[in-house]
Amino acid sequence: MTILITGGAGFIGSNFALDWLAQSDESIVNLDKLTYAGNLETLAGLRGDARHTFVKGDIGDAELVKSVLAKHQPRAIVNFAAESHVDRSIHSPEDFIQTNIVGTFRLLEVARAFWSHLEGNVKKGFRFLHVSTDEVYGSLTAGEPAFGETHRYEPNSPYSASKAASDHLVRAYHHTYGLPVLTTNCSNNYGPYHFPEKLIPLMIVNALAGKSLPVYGDGLQVRDWLYVKDHCSAIRRVLEAGRVGEVYNVGGWNEKPNIEIVHTVCALLDELRPKADGKPYKEQITTVKDRPGHDRRYAIDASKLESELGWRPAETFESGIRKTVKWYLANPDWVANVQSGAYRDWVSRQYDLVDATQG
Ligand code: NAD
Ligand code: DAU
């Protein structure tokens, strides 16, 4: 048995692959385009592991995806692949439309053709799980209830609009063609291998480098933070037992304003890696211009996932953020590689080798 994951060299997909293979002998085929956000070094521990096959490629490349499905006959597809950074979508939305909308559409088309030729229990058991975001629901005011699965879609950035479009396509492929889909909409993740353009890893690496810690606007925007391994366990659970055609919201029951997150990171660094001059890291915090169209508050109501499938996060924010800061302190080489551009050179030299040994 095997599953196909897409975007499995990125932050969440790579954590998913590592966790999956730590708990199961079911193999993974990992299709990733290796954009700036994809990092084969994250998967270095799987090099030479016959259960992991890496394929460099685009979810929008129908011929490639078709051949991967024909060769590996996965029982499920888990679609992580996306352009994921809101700020990049504001500066340059084109890639978001191409990957998140057109790419998901092409993947669905190929998956539909593959699934329609399956038979019996293999066909019955096939699943297409689409990994999505709480940002499709838009922004909440301070007193409003958290997002449930039936909350209206009101995406506000090119990123969230592209993810909303992909969710609708996934829904339509179930409603129209009967493709056995599942969709998860998750809140903000944090943890190991998080690319340092996102809030938490950026604050850690900037703090350690003595750089400023840029807080957008008043810093009172609220996000609902979930440790990445809890997101991975939720996806495993939905894949295992989720009802076909259903949407499951995933969240940490952990709303916090950005400024509090930054203060927590600074306090942990003060404890774990005090500055030579004895000054607190919080002195590096600066306020910068706000993100255009910045959503004020996200909050997820994950009670459906708990009542139907018995999932709850294992980490508290306190335990998860401590593990995360410690991981970044222990892995300066990973950080240096993704930051320096050396990583990209390394990929162009090495990915053929990885394909050949693992593909
Ligand atoms: P990421 O940016 O870290 O990784 C994305 C991965 O997809 C990269 O490895 C990249 O190379 C790959 N990719 C991009 N375009 C591709 C294409 N056309 N074909 C194949 N691969 C491609 O993203 P992430 O944070 O790991 O997010 C993964 C998924 O989870 C996304 O769909 C995102 O919308 C969703 N999500 C993320 C969060 C979060 O907090 N990071 C929260 C909820 C949902
Ligand atoms: O909610 C889920 C989403 O969470 C995912 O769908 C996205 O893929 C993921 O990137 C994340 O989106 P956000 O925009 O919430 O994450 P980001 O880390 O970019 O920003 C978190 C908050 O911190 C947000 O309010 C903007 C703010 N911020 C961010 C950066 C990078 C700052 O104040 N300063 C910064 O430098």
Side-chain angles (χ1 to χ4, degrees):
M1 298 277 261
T2 199
I3 63 166
L4 170 65
I5 68 171
T6 70
F11 166 46
I12 303 172
S14 61
N15 274 287
F16 181 86
L18 292 165
D19 287 3
W20 180 276
L21 293 173
Q23 310 184 8
S24 152
D25 274 337
E26 184 172 14
S27 58
I28 284 186
V29 179
N30 187 346
L31 172 69
D32 195 296
K33 187 178 171 184
L34 296 180
T35 67
Y36 77 95
N39 189 341
L40 283 180
E41 239 179 65
T42 306
L43 299 165
L46 299 176
R47 219 169 277 151
D49 187 330
R51 299 171 306 161
H52 181 248
T53 301
F54 183 79
V55 180
K56 182 178 185 291
D58 192 324
I59 57 167
D61 181 344
E63 285 309 311
L64 173 69
V65 178
K66 210 191 287 182
S67 71
V68 168
L69 294 180
K71 181 174 175 190
H72 296 282
Q73 299 285 317
R75 69 164 176 97
I77 299 173
V78 183
N79 183 30
F80 293 97
E83 289 294 334
S84 71
H85 192 36
V86 174
D87 293 323
R88 285 184 191 254
S89 85
I90 293 167
H91 292 294
S92 168
E94 178 77 31
D95 287 347
F96 290 73
I97 306 305
Q98 283 309 325
T99 285
N100 300 359
I101 304 180
V102 179
T104 303
F105 157 68
R106 297 233 171 93
L107 186 66
L108 282 164
E109 270 293 274
V110 177
R112 176 168 76 92
F114 173 74
W115 166 78
S116 68
H117 288 104
L118 297 176
E119 287 176 354
N121 282 341
V122 178
K123 183 169 193 175
K124 212 168 140 201
F126 184 81
R127 296 287 182 271
F128 183 105
L129 192 156
H130 181 60
V131 180
S132 193
T133 171
D134 59 0
E135 299 202 12
V136 298
Y137 300 125
S139 184
L140 294 166
T141 56
E144 275 184 286
F147 300 128
E149 286 81 0
T150 56
H151 195 281
R152 72 180 177 280
Y153 269 42
E154 211 167 51
N156 289 319
S157 70
Y159 163 68
S160 54
S162 67
K163 289 297 290 187
S166 69
D167 291 9
H168 291 322
L169 285 167
V170 170
R171 178 190 157 85
Y173 270 64
H174 175 63
H175 191 79
T176 304
Y177 305 113
L179 187 70
V181 305
L182 297 155
T183 300
T184 54
N185 290 87
C186 188
S187 62
N188 284 64
N189 286 212
Y190 67 98
Y193 306 114
H194 204 180
F195 197 79
E197 64 184 356
K198 307 279 172 74
L199 179 72
I200 289 179
L202 183 79
M203 293 301 147
I204 298 170
V205 303
N206 275 13
L208 292 171
K211 294 182 180 163
S212 65
L213 309 179
V215 172
Y216 297 164
D218 62 8
L220 296 178
Q221 303 83 3
V222 171
R223 297 292 182 265
D224 177 353
W225 294 93
L226 180 69
Y227 191 61
V228 63
K229 287 173 186 303
D230 280 324
H231 187 189
C232 295
S233 75
I235 293 169
R236 289 197 303 275
R237 185 68 190 130
V238 172
L239 185 61
E240 178 182 46
R243 283 185 294 133
V244 166
E246 290 291 315
V247 173
Y248 294 91
N249 283 356
V250 188
W253 305 102
N254 178 55
E255 289 183 55
K256 294 206 184 294
N258 294 337
I259 191 69
E260 189 181 323
I261 297 288
V262 178
H263 277 281
T264 301
V265 166
C266 288
L268 278 166
L269 287 172
D270 287 339
E271 176 196 330
L272 298 167
R273 181 70 57 84
K275 282 165 70 161
D277 61 10
K279 291 186 175 167
Y281 285 98
K282 69 179 180 195
E283 286 187 0
Q284 290 169 226
I285 296 173
T286 52
T287 298
V288 298
K289 201 165 150 282
D290 210 349
R291 172 185 280 175
H294 200 170
D295 284 337
R296 196 66 181 165
R297 174 179 167 238
Y298 304 140
I300 277 281
D301 177 349
S303 51
K304 177 177 172 183
L305 188 51
E306 181 170 2
S307 62
E308 272 191 27
L309 302 180
W311 177 90
R312 266 192 83 81
E315 297 291 342
T316 63
F317 185 68
E318 289 63 36
S319 63
I321 192 70
R322 181 173 284 273
K323 281 185 182 173
T324 303
V325 171
K326 282 186 170 174
W327 186 89
Y328 278 89
L329 289 173
N331 289 279
D333 292 347
W334 183 92
V335 173
N337 279 332
V338 296
Q339 281 184 316
S340 69
Y343 168 69
R344 298 200 65 176
D345 299 339
W346 181 85
V347 164
S348 60
R349 285 198 309 275
Q350 295 293 329
Y351 79 78
D352 278 337
L353 176 65
V354 174
D355 267 349
T357 55
Q358 300 196 351

